[in-house]
Amino acid sequence: MNGGQPLAGRVAIVTGGARGIGLVVADALAAAGASLVIADNGTGSDGTGADPTIAEAAARHIGGETLAFTESIASPSAAAACVALAKRRLGGLDIVIHGAAIRRDAAIVDGVAADWEAVLRNNLSAAWYLLNAAAPVWRDQGGRGRGGRHGYRWGRVVNLVSGAGLCGGPAQGAAAAASAGLISLTRVAALDLAPHKIRVNAVAPGTIMTPLNEKVFREHPDPETLIKTWNSAHPLGRFGQPEEVAEAVLFLASDRASFITGTILR
């Protein structure tokens, strides 16, 4: 294995890879040698206002063999098209990082069905659609015995899950249900894909200092108190940084984690 670029020759799809944690993860994968498809339709955190130029700008920022896929993967056809793009332009697919997610928090008494369905579709169903499209590629890529693209079967999946799926809070019904579902899907997919030598894991990063959270603090009437409250929820007494999440994802996507599957890294 190339110690400087442990993912040299690998191809990765990163959903939600144009901003925040996703962009830092994509940068880390590229630095490790991977070619990328940045799948991000540029919507706001509530899933509205798509802007395809955001993914295109991220692809230019990362450079190298990096492509932009500007549709939402929250449909089977779009997920299949994203996988097909990786195969056609980059020669195959080895790694899927699913980080795309939206939030539409509301107490159950105030919630509307359309918001519930949108969160489940974007945060959970999209992950299944992408796995469903990618799994046959991995199954067929290695063939039997030696041969195939790398001479053997090789695939990695890392899902980014919200802490709401571990311990939901008020008004987080949709986000918590979607994240809990993604945790369960991660474990089931690990079992389903193990015979094909595909590892599936997840990272539950906790509170990370992203541009979105920075905006929350700027707009809060008492940001210092809010920061102290959020920090107190973590044993280390501080926020995490996107680069720390990227290191965890990179570890799980590499051969350093070759005997780890079905794990939720917290």
Side-chain angles (χ1 to χ4, degrees), residues 40-62:
D40 196 317
N41 68 341
T43 61
S45 60
D46 63 353
T48 61
D51 181 356
T53 65
I54 292 176
E56 293 163 355
R60 288 193 300 271
H61 159 77
I62 294 169

Side-chain angles (χ1 to χ4, degrees), residues 110-199:
D110 299 319
V112 296
D115 288 344
W116 167 270
E117 291 162 0
V119 173
L120 268 289
R121 184 172 61 251
N122 281 274
N123 299 11
L124 176 57
S125 295
W128 187 90
Y129 298 149
L130 197 52
L131 278 174
N132 182 246
V137 176
W138 288 323
R139 179 194 62 204
D140 299 337
Q141 221 163 228
R144 292 188 177 184
R146 305 300 292 179
R149 181 163 170 267
H150 295 295
Y152 49 89
R153 290 192 178 118
W154 199 100
R156 306 289 185 258
V157 180
V158 183
N159 294 316
L160 297 180
V161 302
S162 165
L166 300 165
C167 182
Q172 292 182 341
S179 187
L182 188 52
I183 289 169
S184 292
L185 177 61
T186 297
R187 290 171 171 152
V188 170
L191 297 173
D192 281 353
L193 296 175
H196 304 295
K197 311 305 180 187
I198 310 304
R199 296 192 295 101

